Amino acid sequence: MAHRKLSVIEIIVLCLVALLTAIGVLLVFTNLTLFEKYVQEDGLVEWIGVFALLAAFVVCLRRALQFFSEKPWYFIFTSLLLGMLLLFAAGEEISWGQRIFDIDTPEYFKQNNLQAETNLHNLEINGVKINKIVFSYLLIFVLVIYLGLFPLLYAKKKWMNTFVNKWGIPLAQRYQIIGFILLFSITEMIPHGKRAEVLECGAALLFFLIVYFPANAKTFKKG
C-alpha cells in the first residue's frame, strides 16, 4: 500500500473524531450533566454519526451507479450491500425518524424494546438483549476480522488481493485502523454507560473515511 499525503477531508474528519472524543472525556470528568446532554438522543454526537453513515451510504450508491456497466455484478452487489447496511445503521440510530416525525411506537416495540422505540438494536427478546449480541459481540468480531485480518492477508497473499479488489471491498488504511484502536481505547476509559454514543459517532466517521479513502483506491477509479 503506497504512502500518500492525507487530503483536506481526511484531516478534517480525523480532527473531528479527536475533538468529539476529547470533549466527551473532558465533560464526563468535569461536568456529568453536560456530558449527558452531549450524548443524549437526537443530540449533537448522535447526529454527526448519522450524517457520517449517510455520507458513506451515498459514496457506495454512487459507486454502484458509476460502475454499473463497467464492473461485474459482484462488485456492484458489494457496493449496494454495504450501502444498505450503512443506511440501516443510520436509520436505527434515529429510530427511523420516529422522534423527528412524532410517530407512535407499535405495540410490539413498546413491549419488547428497552427504550420503547421503533428500532431493532434495543430489542430484548426472552431476556436476550439484541444490542449486546448482534451490535456488540458480533460487530466487534467482524471489525477485528475486517480491520485486522483483511489488511494483513491483502498485503501478503495474492488470492486475498484479487478477492478484495474483484468484489470491490474498501480496505482500511493503516491510519484508519490506528484511529479505530485509539478511539476504542480512549472511550473505554469513559466511566459512563453512554460512552457508546461517543464510540459509535467516532466509528461512523472513521468508517466513512474507509469507504471514501480506501487503501485500495485504484480499484474504485474509472477505467
Side-chain angles (χ1 to χ4, degrees), residues 100-157:
I100 300 171
F101 302 108
D102 195 25
I103 301 171
D104 190 35
T105 304
E107 192 60 34
Y108 176 81
F109 287 95
K110 284 182 180 178
Q111 295 178 8
N112 296 283
N113 190 286
L114 294 172
Q115 296 183 2
E117 295 176 335
T118 310
N119 58 49
L120 298 179
H121 69 278
N122 285 319
L123 282 178
E124 183 175 24
I125 302 174
N126 296 326
V128 178
K129 295 180 180 179
I130 302 298
N131 191 25
K132 180 170 285 189
I133 294 177
V134 178
F135 297 93
S136 293
Y137 299 147
L138 181 59
L139 185 59
I140 289 173
F141 174 76
V142 171
L143 284 176
V144 168
I145 298 296
Y146 177 65
L147 297 175
L149 190 59
F150 267 45
L152 183 63
L153 290 177
Y154 185 87
K156 295 182 177 296
K157 302 294 182 180

Side-chain angles (χ1 to χ4, degrees), residues 16-82:
L16 183 58
V17 173
L19 179 63
L20 290 170
T21 306
I23 290 174
V25 173
L26 178 65
L27 289 179
V28 80
F29 288 109
T30 60
N31 193 324
L32 193 56
T33 301
L34 196 54
F35 172 79
E36 290 174 347
K37 287 184 178 180
Y38 181 62
V39 295
Q40 68 184 359
E41 298 286 340
D42 294 326
L44 175 67
V45 169
E46 181 172 84
W47 273 107
I48 290 176
V50 169
F51 283 130
L53 291 170
L54 291 176
F57 159 72
V58 170
V59 173
C60 291
L61 183 60
R62 180 174 173 271
R63 278 183 184 152
L65 295 173
Q66 183 181 22
F67 292 109
F68 188 77
S69 60
E70 183 179 322
K71 298 284 188 179
W73 68 268
Y74 40 84
F75 185 99
I76 308 302
F77 172 78
T78 300
S79 292
L80 289 175
L81 178 62
L82 181 56

Side-chain angles (χ1 to χ4, degrees), residues 141-195:
F141 174 76
V142 171
L143 284 176
V144 168
I145 298 296
Y146 177 65
L147 297 175
L149 190 59
F150 267 45
L152 183 63
L153 290 177
Y154 185 87
K156 295 182 177 296
K157 302 294 182 180
K158 185 174 178 58
W159 64 265
M160 187 62 169
N161 194 294
T162 302
F163 170 75
V164 166
N165 290 333
K166 277 193 172 183
W167 280 79
I169 301 172
L171 198 71
Q173 295 190 56
R174 186 175 300 172
Y175 82 85
Q176 295 159 352
I177 298 170
I178 293 172
F180 265 100
I181 294 171
L182 288 174
L183 175 67
F184 183 80
S185 301
I186 294 171
T187 52
E188 275 296 298
M189 295 188 296
I190 297 177
H192 195 286
K194 280 288 189 178
R195 65 176 177 269

